[in-house]
Each structure stands twice: as C-alpha cells, then as structure tokens.
Amino acid sequence: MKKLAELYSGKAKTVYTTDDPDRMIMEFRNDTSAFDGEKVEQLERKGLVNNYFNAFVMEKLAAAGIANHFEQRLSANESLVKRLTMLPVECVVRNLAAGSLCRRLGVAEGIDLSPPVFEFFLKNDALHDPMINDSHICTFGWASAAQVADMKTLTLQVNEILGALFADAGLLLVDYKLEFGDFHGTLMLGDEFSPDGCRLWDAKTRDKLDKDRFRQGLGGVVEAYEEVAGRLGIALP
Ligand code: TMP
Ligand code: ASP
C-alpha cells in the first residue's frame, strides 16, 4: 500500500491517503502533547511504542467483537487503517477518579467509581474539549441518536474487555478515551488506544504508567509505556 498525500496532521499522529480510497496510513509520531497542545515534547521511541501498543489492543478488541479501523502494522511507526468519517466527540469511561473529574467535582483521586462514569467531550482544542451530553450531540448534529447509543454501549463493552486484559497484567485501567467514526454506514472504533489516551496504574503501588507522567513532569514517560507493553507481552523491537 503506497502513501500518497498527507490528509491530516494531529498532535501525535499524521494520516496519509493511499491508492485505496477506503484505507489510510496512520503514522505515530514522537510528539507528546498535553493541555490541548500547550506543552509539546519529542519523546524518543514513543511513536514506535504506541504503534505496537495500539495494534495489540485493536486486535484484542476485534477478536472480542468490537469492530475497529485497524488492519495491520506496516512499519515501526505506521499502521494501515480503514478511512472512517470521524465523529467530533470523545467518549470517556472512568473506573477510578482522576484528572478532570477530580478538578470538576472536587472528588479525591483514586476513589472507586461504581458503576463506571461515562462522559462525552467535544473534540475541540480551541474550546478545551468541553464536556457535552447526548442532547448537545443530537441538537448540533455531531452524531445521530443511534450513534450516541452505540458509542456508549461499545465504550462500556471495551471497559469489560480491556479492564480484564490490564488486570491480568497487574494494572488498573483508571480511565480512557475512545473516538468513533462511520465506515459506509457502520459505526466503528477509530483513532488509537495507547497510554497517551488512557490512565493505567500499577495495581499494587498505584504508580502512574501513562501520559500523566508527562502532564505532571514525573519523567520516565516512555519507560512506563514500555513497562506496560512488556507486562502485556507486546514484543517491541
Ligand atoms: P481527563 O481526566 O483529562 O478528562 O481525561 C480522561 C481520559 O481521557 C484520560 O485517560 C485522558 C483521555 N483524554 C485524551 O486522551 N485526550 C483528550 O483530549 C482528553 C480531554 C482526555
Ligand atoms: N491530548 C490532549 C493534548 O494534547 C489532552 C491531554 O492528553 O492532556 O493536549
């Protein structure tokens, strides 16, 4: 599959068209950003680790019945994916309180959230990804009522699948963000799943092994991602 033109460059990935109008190539870059792109750094090997991590997770999800855009890893930093029409919403599930939930509601970090919390955010850096609800999504046409219902169901199914996968590796899946898109009338999981877009804590020590290490200046960011990959059995070059 040949890379043709650059289609879109985001904060951590660039996507390219291919000779197949239904496929694109997703390149995972070393750029690491936080606070809606305010803090950006290049972290050696981050693109490679996230590419392998995403391939592993997307294959597990597909095997468990979650349709997604991933097709195959092409190189250290690139994967072939289906070209979806993305919906401009982010779906977040939280099992333990962290991040913006603590800031917004004044709850202590680390408390158990049972049942898990589900939230929608609008994908818009200029507006700082504001929290939105089903009503906003339908009124402004960001997704249909059926897509809203399906995104919630699928995101919570992913929680069951990945919660168990990470638990087996001695990790707590604290929270995560998913993005969906349409592929010829079928809703599918798109974007990526990597420690850039989720929170993972060591189950015993509660050490942070995700992008909060970068956000909070804790250091050892890629080392933590590699630690998680190793525990999952992902072989990295
Ligand atoms: P939050 O606590 O900042 O709302 O984030 C919740 C989860 O969603 C966390 O795992 C990080 C992820 N996330 C992203 O990956 N990108 C984003 O733009 C936002 C707002 C959250
Ligand atoms: N991904 C967003 C950014 O780069 C938000 C975050 O992960 O903190 O700013």
Side-chain angles (χ1 to χ4, degrees):
M1 190 77 47
K2 235 178 70 187
K3 247 185 193 174
L4 293 179
E6 181 178 314
L7 190 61
Y8 173 77
S9 194
K11 292 191 292 285
K13 298 189 294 299
T14 304
V15 293
Y16 300 88
T17 55
T18 65
D19 36 26
D20 178 346
D22 276 338
R23 304 281 180 286
M24 59 184 203
I25 291 172
M26 192 172 252
E27 179 199 354
F28 289 78
R29 307 195 316 272
N30 288 338
D31 299 77
T32 312
S33 84
F35 315 119
D36 303 317
E38 251 175 56
K39 174 176 176 176
V40 184
E41 276 173 36
Q42 292 275 313
L43 299 180
E44 198 68 31
R45 272 175 72 78
K46 206 263 305 185
L48 177 151
V49 175
N50 278 3
N51 189 33
Y52 276 73
F53 200 105
N54 178 65
F56 176 85
V57 171
M58 290 294 180
E59 280 176 351
K60 290 282 183 202
L61 290 176
I66 306 290
N68 66 69
H69 71 163
F70 180 78
E71 299 222 324
Q72 66 179 114
R73 197 178 51 74
L74 297 175
S75 69
N77 289 65
E78 297 164 312
S79 286
L80 183 68
V81 298
K82 289 187 181 66
R83 186 173 173 179
L84 312 186
T85 304
M86 296 304 289
L87 305 176
V89 297
E90 302 186 336
C91 303
V92 169
V93 164
R94 301 174 188 272
N95 296 303
L96 295 164
S100 73
L101 185 87
C102 297
R103 289 197 296 278
R104 275 182 279 121
L105 303 184
V107 297
E109 184 178 79
I111 64 165
D112 271 316
L113 303 172
S114 186
V117 167
F118 180 94
E119 295 169 337
F120 282 119
F121 295 90
L122 179 65
K123 200 173 161 63
N124 186 321
D125 277 344
L127 298 177
H128 305 292
D129 291 351
M131 190 164 69
I132 52 174
N133 64 26
D134 311 32
S135 170
H136 299 113
I137 295 175
C138 293
T139 295
F140 292 108
W142 293 319
S144 68
Q147 286 171 326
V148 166
D150 288 349
M151 285 192 285
K152 274 191 200 169
T153 304
L154 290 165
T155 304
L156 287 162
Q157 281 173 6
V158 165
N159 199 33
E160 297 301 314
I161 301 160
L162 296 188
L165 185 81
F166 289 116
D168 287 344
L171 297 161
L172 295 169
L173 178 57
V174 173
D175 57 33
Y176 58 92
K177 181 263 301 176
L178 301 180
E179 294 179 30
F180 292 87
D182 173 83
F183 188 69
H184 299 296
T186 302
L187 186 78
M188 278 190 197
L189 175 61
D191 191 48
E192 70 177 279
F193 193 102
S194 76
D196 269 5
C198 69
R199 289 190 173 94
L200 294 165
W201 293 352
D202 180 273
K204 283 208 184 87
T205 63
R206 297 207 161 195
D207 280 349
K208 294 175 178 172
L209 299 170
D210 54 66
K211 200 163 84 172
D212 268 349
R213 298 201 70 83
F214 176 72
R215 294 189 188 98
Q216 299 174 9
L218 301 175
V221 181
V222 180
E223 290 82 349
Y225 291 22
E226 296 211 37
E227 161 75 24
V228 174
R231 290 199 203 180
L232 291 169
I234 302 170
L236 297 172

